[in-house]
Amino acid sequence: MTTREVEHEITIGAPAAAVYQLLADVTNWPRIFPPTIHVDRVEADGDEERIRIWATANGSPKNWTSRRTLDPAGLRITFRQEVPAEPVKHMGGTWIIEPLGESGARVRLLHDFSAIGDDPHDLLWIARAVDKNSTSELAALKANVEAAHAAETEELTFSFTDTVRTTGSAKDAFDFINEAHLWAERLPHVAVVRLAEDTPGLQELEMDTRAKDGSVHTTKSYRVVFPHSKIAYKQVTLPALMTLHTGEWTFVETDGGTDVSSQHTVTLNTENIARILGPEATVADARAYVHTALSTNSCATLAHAKAHAESKAL
């Protein structure tokens, strides 16, 4: 069996401990790393944890389960995939953070991997995916840690949630959100939908939505489905005012009904604020504009999901 070993590295202008902290908390990863769609911490026991990751590899959505060992004193995180995604036979590695003085760090990302059946074409495919994702992740890690250390990100990244309560069931409300291929018929702001689910529970959603001014915008998202409680997503084709958009639809049964929520996390693209909103527009203006646009569509979808669930309960 052929095992390949590769290493990628980058130098970051922030303390090593800050870099380690961002890597250690996997819930940050969809926000930090472009390939990562969603992460679930399955279990944690001291410095050991099992995580499930949904991410793109060479443009294809994949998911796998890994075990991680955290070493905060040594500034290391080792990982080993327990349930790899084809064509990977085994995959593991280590994040190593080396201090460079008080305000700098070198990050080394080591991988070792093999392919099912020792297929040379699959081994090359894996090597390309590892190289592409590692390069992307290290660059994104550098940008996020340095921006956070300079206190630049708080105003540009923000989250909000819209919630409705329905007397219908969580399952019926969930079905409405899950059945996105029907949204063009069910939602007035959706013009066209293309939905693929080659792997059960992992969806690729592309849709054209109409804005208030009549313009149509195309967006693409990957969605991770947890029946009938949650649908997490990450938008990979973004409107001009955003560099990040992740979110979750959640369905929580309560006494007499269900709370259905739409949560968004957004990072603004400051380079396009003047072009889209005018030369006098501020970051606060862009926050308000994006918040209103997303919330308007979310609330419309939530209202239709509520009506759908309540019609099923009659």
Side-chain angles (χ1 to χ4, degrees):
M1 183 182 73
T2 304
T3 298
R4 291 281 304 275
E5 296 182 359
V6 295
E7 179 174 338
H8 296 79
E9 71 169 71
I10 201 165
T11 301
I12 296 177
V19 178
Y20 175 86
Q21 199 56 48
L22 209 57
L23 288 171
D25 185 356
V26 292
T27 60
N28 288 321
W29 285 20
R31 180 174 62 83
I32 298 170
F33 294 145
T36 307
I37 301 164
H38 185 67
V39 180
D40 254 9
R41 186 180 277 118
V42 180
E43 61 185 58
D45 182 13
D47 291 332
E48 301 282 331
E49 66 180 9
R50 285 178 68 231
I51 59 174
R52 193 169 178 202
I53 299 176
W54 291 260
T56 56
N58 289 334
S60 300
K62 303 279 186 180
N63 76 90
W64 61 88
T65 302
S66 292
R67 183 169 290 280
R68 301 205 312 165
T69 302
L70 306 176
D71 179 6
L75 297 176
R76 286 174 172 243
I77 301 169
T78 58
F79 57 91
R80 181 69 50 189
Q81 291 187 8
E82 290 186 334
V83 185
E86 292 185 3
V88 176
K89 180 177 177 62
H90 95 269
M91 172 81 72
T94 311
W95 292 92
I96 303 171
I97 301 100
E98 300 172 348
L100 299 175
E102 293 184 0
S103 58
R106 180 165 77 126
V107 180
R108 297 163 58 206
L109 175 54
L110 283 55
H111 282 94
D112 60 85
F113 55 85
S114 62
I116 295 171
D118 215 18
D119 185 291
H121 295 290
D122 286 345
L123 198 63
L124 181 60
W125 187 94
I126 298 166
R128 285 174 176 162
V130 168
D131 183 61
K132 183 178 179 180
N133 282 12
S134 297
T135 302
S136 166
E137 287 169 357
L138 286 171
L141 178 68
K142 175 182 173 72
N144 275 273
V145 177
E146 290 180 351
H149 193 58
E152 296 171 356
T153 55
E154 189 172 342
E155 196 179 6
L156 299 180
T157 299
F158 61 99
S159 302
F160 62 93
T161 303
D162 296 305
T163 302
V164 298
R165 175 163 291 187
T166 173
T167 55
S169 70
K171 179 188 181 301
D172 289 331
F174 168 90
D175 286 345
F176 185 91
I177 303 300
N178 187 47
E179 294 167 351
H181 59 287
L182 301 175
W183 281 4
E185 305 160 26
R186 292 175 164 180
L187 296 172
H189 64 275
V190 177
V192 181
V193 176
R194 294 161 290 278
L195 180 71
E197 191 170 346
D198 296 332
T199 302
L202 181 53
Q203 301 176 344
E204 189 173 327
L205 173 64
E206 192 172 2
M207 63 180 181
D208 299 344
T209 57
R210 300 183 189 91
K212 283 182 179 179
D213 61 8
S215 59
V216 176
H217 303 271
T218 301
T219 58
K220 179 180 175 181
S221 302
Y222 289 111
R223 307 204 308 175
V224 181
V225 179
F226 303 88
H228 297 101
S229 59
K230 181 171 75 174
I231 297 175
Y233 64 87
K234 182 172 186 175
Q235 213 170 62
V236 292
T237 304
L238 291 156
L241 279 175
M242 292 183 255
T243 60
L244 170 83
H245 180 202
T246 63
E248 291 185 352
W249 300 92
T250 54
F251 311 86
V252 180
E253 292 199 332
T254 61
D255 291 339
T258 301
D259 284 345
V260 186
S261 297
S262 170
Q263 184 271 338
H264 300 268
T265 296
V266 171
T267 300
L268 297 174
N269 187 342
T270 53
E271 293 180 6
N272 290 330
I273 291 175
R275 179 170 66 84
I276 303 295
L277 301 180
E280 305 300 318
T282 64
V283 168
D285 293 330
R287 278 176 64 117
Y289 181 91
V290 169
H291 187 155
T292 299
L294 292 176
S295 190
T296 297
N297 285 352
S298 282
C299 289
T301 304
L302 288 169
H304 282 82
K306 169 184 167 75
H308 175 82
E310 289 175 357
S311 71
K312 294 288 186 180
L314 295 176

